[in-house]
Amino acid sequence: MLDLDLIDRKIVAELMQDATLPIAQIAEKVGLSQTPCWKRIQKLEAQGVLTRRVALADPGKLGLGITVFVEIEAPDHSSEWRAAFARVVTTLPEIMETWRMAGRMDYMLRVAVADMPDFDRFYKRLTDAVPIKNVTSHFSMERLHYTTAYPVDTRNR
């Protein structure tokens, strides 16, 4: 882990909240002038702390009204199966996130689809593409809280 100072953490926190902020505003919020602030942002990007700047969209307004959390149990734990699975999950655009888990399931997917027939088509493509021992799907009824911003400490040195 990199040892980020308070100003770097504040810059990261500001950018996680709104990456469209002009450098002048970020600099003002973190107590720097523009040039040193810009140099710190470039350094944070070079170090891999800041990995991308993206726009967040409302899935419902894009016609993707159903979020499904899909638990995957692998049929085996070979490197060949893991590699095949990793390739498959990057080719299915409905998969928003893929996590390898500890515990009763092996993988957790967050999937965005329009409706139940859309999920059924996704399910068939997934299960046709790679052997899977068990699939359990959980359909979200309501998103109560969502953020992409990590809880960065912006108070303590």
Side-chain angles (χ1 to χ4, degrees), residues 6-22:
L6 181 60
I7 291 175
D8 285 341
R9 292 193 311 268
K10 285 182 177 182
I11 290 170
V12 170
E14 290 298 331
L15 287 170
M16 285 190 298
Q17 288 301 316
D18 185 354
T20 67
L21 286 176

Side-chain angles (χ1 to χ4, degrees), residues 44-88:
L44 291 164
E45 289 173 337
Q47 292 173 325
V49 175
L50 298 174
T51 58
R52 309 188 270 180
R53 298 186 209 181
V54 299
L56 301 177
D58 181 326
K61 292 181 179 171
L62 296 174
L64 300 168
I66 297 179
T67 298
V68 188
F69 296 92
V70 180
E71 298 177 2
I72 302 289
E73 186 178 350
D76 68 73
H77 297 277
S78 68
S79 59
E80 293 83 11
W81 186 90
R82 288 192 314 270
F85 182 75
R87 279 190 305 276
V88 166

Side-chain angles (χ1 to χ4, degrees), residues 56-57 59 66-71 89 92-99 107-113 119 122 138 140 143 146-148:
L56 301 177
I66 297 179
T67 298
V68 188
F69 296 92
V70 180
E71 298 177 2
V89 297
L92 298 171
E94 297 89 347
I95 299 176
M96 304 298 296
E97 295 180 82
T98 303
W99 296 86
Y107 295 88
M108 173 71 81
L109 314 177
R110 181 172 62 93
V111 175
V113 293
F119 179 75
F122 160 79
H138 304 274
S140 171
R143 179 166 75 180
Y146 174 78
T147 184
T148 60

